[in-house]
Amino acid sequence: MKTFRPARKRITVSVGESVRIIRELQGYSQNELASLTGIPQATVSAIENDRVRLGVERAKILARALQCHPAVLVFPGWDVGRDSAA
């Protein structure tokens, strides 16, 4: 393990793609997620296709249903080492 190197990021994921990926990992269809959250399926689809902005309130609702932190959905490409001012 002396030659350990962090993996390089190979793709950029949009906010909508992060919602879709996490939804699929949780095993939910768009209709199931819509039922869990009260967000219409058409809106879930629009979010996943980056046609509608996620927004803070929707991020909280979706994160609760998907059992993740809202920041995972809102900031999918965040690199603490590169993006922080520390």
Side-chain angles (χ1 to χ4, degrees), residues 13-20 47-48 50 54 73-76:
V13 178
S14 71
V15 171
E17 290 170 325
S18 72
V19 172
R20 180 186 52 79
I47 291 168
E48 290 184 1
D50 295 311
L54 180 58
L73 303 175
V74 177
F75 303 110

Side-chain angles (χ1 to χ4, degrees), residues 27-85:
Y28 294 124
S29 68
Q30 287 183 351
N31 285 324
E32 290 169 328
L33 186 57
S35 293
L36 285 170
T37 61
I39 297 171
Q41 180 276 328
T43 303
V44 172
S45 176
I47 291 168
E48 290 184 1
N49 289 292
D50 295 311
R51 292 190 312 265
V52 170
R53 298 188 97 199
L54 180 58
V56 174
E57 290 308 313
R58 284 190 194 129
K60 289 179 190 176
I61 293 167
L62 288 170
R64 197 170 294 121
L66 296 171
Q67 300 175 356
C68 67
H69 193 279
V72 172
L73 303 175
V74 177
F75 303 110
W78 183 263
D79 182 349
V80 174
R82 185 193 73 215
D83 296 335
S84 68

Side-chain angles (χ1 to χ4, degrees), residues 2-29:
K2 292 180 182 181
T3 60
F4 171 77
R5 288 183 313 159
R8 282 192 228 156
K9 187 162 100 173
R10 297 185 182 182
I11 61 168
T12 301
V13 178
S14 71
V15 171
E17 290 170 325
S18 72
V19 172
R20 180 186 52 79
I21 290 166
I22 294 171
R23 174 183 59 78
E24 290 177 350
L25 286 171
Q26 296 288 335
Y28 294 124
S29 68

